[in-house]
Each structure stands twice: as structure tokens, then as C-alpha cells.
Amino acid sequence: MSKAKAKAKQVKGKIKEAAGKTADDRSMQAEGRGEQLRGKAQETAARAGERVKKSPNK
């Protein structure tokens, strides 16, 4: 997954979490937080993959 898609997932999670707070829906809030965490993990993995590709010790 690309960094851009991972960032988009994080933003979507933030929106979902905020909507859950507004609607007082704890389940939606938790879903949003989970989506943010998955997005952060995917972004970290994408960054690590880029570092490996740029590594001079191939």
C-alpha cells in the first residue's frame, strides 16, 4: 500500500471517529480509531519499504 493510501485511511478514520463522537456512537468511534491505527501501520510499512529500496547495500 502506498503512503498516500495509508494517509487517506487515517483521515477517513479521523472523520469516522469525529462522526461517532457527534452521534454519541462508541462503536463508530472505536472503528475510526482502529482505521487510523491500521493506516499508521501501513504508512510505516510503506516508508520501511522505500528505505529498503533506497539502501545502497542491495
Side-chain angles (χ1 to χ4, degrees):
M1 177 171 276
S2 71
K3 286 193 305 184
K5 286 184 181 180
K7 268 294 189 200
K9 185 172 275 196
Q10 289 177 48
V11 170
K12 182 179 171 188
K14 281 188 181 281
I15 292 169
K16 192 178 279 189
E17 181 181 9
K21 284 181 183 177
T22 302
D24 198 28
D25 184 344
R26 291 180 189 262
S27 174
M28 188 183 286
Q29 288 178 34
E31 245 180 79
R33 282 192 298 272
E35 207 162 319
Q36 288 176 62
L37 289 173
R38 284 188 295 277
K40 286 179 184 179
Q42 290 168 346
E43 183 181 14
T44 300
R47 283 185 184 176
E50 287 176 0
R51 287 187 184 135
V52 168
K53 287 180 185 176
K54 290 181 182 179
S55 176
N57 299 331
K58 283 187 176 180

